[in-house]
Amino acid sequence: MIEKTVKNLHGKLSIKIPSSIDEITLGQVMELLESPLLNDLEAIGILSGVPLPEIQNIKDFDDLHVFGEIILRLSNQLKNLHSNNKLPKRITFHLAGVSKTVNVLQNLSVEPAGAFFASREIIAEEINEHITKYGNDDWQLSFNPSLKACCQVLAHYFYCRITGKMYNEYEAEEFTNEVKKLRVMEALPIAKHFFHCYPHLSKTKTGCLNLLLQRWKKKRELALLKSLSISIP
Amino acid sequence: MEKKAGISAFEKFKYINTINSLSGGEITKWPEILNMPYERVLTKLLLNKTESEYQKRYSDLINN
């Protein structure tokens, strides 16, 4: 983070913006990318959380020069936003002043059923939209989900685990406001995982009995093949 | 047949169709189903599908 105190018409104003992409939140990136013709003052407003009119009232704009270089660096880093696929091991939410950290499991199956259905629909719509625009040929190569869709999927995925509440689709959708506070470089790989796994967001489980039956069947088949002297590659 | 009868009109309700079907049309049971582990719901859907296929085959056998 880089901080500078500047003078505006009403007194002193402290402005603090992230100095690296690792410090930017998902919500900030969403806001930055929403406006294609963003100027530096607007970018400073989004990254610092200081309302734009307060920044516009600064007496000497040369005071903001230090932020200009950072914004340029950040915009270059944002071009490679989708290149990071490393899943974080843990992720922390800050709800009403209380921090809650959860492990990010390697098996990211979506639970409960409501969250699964909602996530599946968001992902399917996003993929269909992409295919409609760019065609069906090798769509996976050019596909990057929108940040809005990523945010929605994460909201459904994390809502119950973080709040400890029962699943509620309306509250889960509102939970996007909390997801937006996550660091983009942590949140995005998790969300993208679901898009890449689609449509296999979860595995079927028919109970222990079926699992045992499957293993027993496999064992019998192997024994039969062995007795027939057929080698298995 | 189903297409002719206008089954596509239900498409706009998306996954709620599944929830409604699993709850036997009882709206008060929707939250209960939405909060079940997905794997259990999927197992039930597979069971329903298997049952319906079996019923169809059985009816075909009786009618022929």
Side-chain angles (χ1 to χ4, degrees), chain A residues 42-57:
Chain A
E42 288 167 330
I44 292 171
I46 291 168
L47 292 169
S48 65
V50 176
L52 190 60
E54 284 190 44
I55 298 172
Q56 284 166 332
N57 283 338

Side-chain angles (χ1 to χ4, degrees), chain A residues 109-118 120-121 125 160 166-169 202-206, chain B residues 13-16 18-19 22 30-43 45-46:
Chain A
S109 43
V110 188
E111 300 283 0
F116 179 93
F117 285 124
R120 193 180 62 177
E121 230 158 71
E125 273 177 26
C160 293
M166 297 280 276
Y167 180 76
N168 175 304
E169 64 264 49
S202 195
K203 285 179 184 168
T204 324
K205 197 190 271 175
T206 47
Chain B
F13 297 104
K14 300 175 180 178
Y15 67 88
I16 295 300
T18 311
I19 305 298
L22 289 173
W30 288 9
E32 224 173 292
I33 294 164
L34 288 169
N35 273 286
M36 278 182 182
Y38 173 70
E39 286 166 351
R40 185 174 297 177
V41 173
L42 181 63
T43 306
L45 290 171
L46 286 172

Side-chain angles (χ1 to χ4, degrees), chain A residues 150-169:
Chain A
C150 288
C151 184
Q152 288 172 326
V153 168
L154 290 179
H156 286 283
Y157 175 61
F158 280 119
Y159 173 72
C160 293
R161 287 182 69 197
I162 298 297
T163 62
K165 291 181 184 172
M166 297 280 276
Y167 180 76
N168 175 304
E169 64 264 49

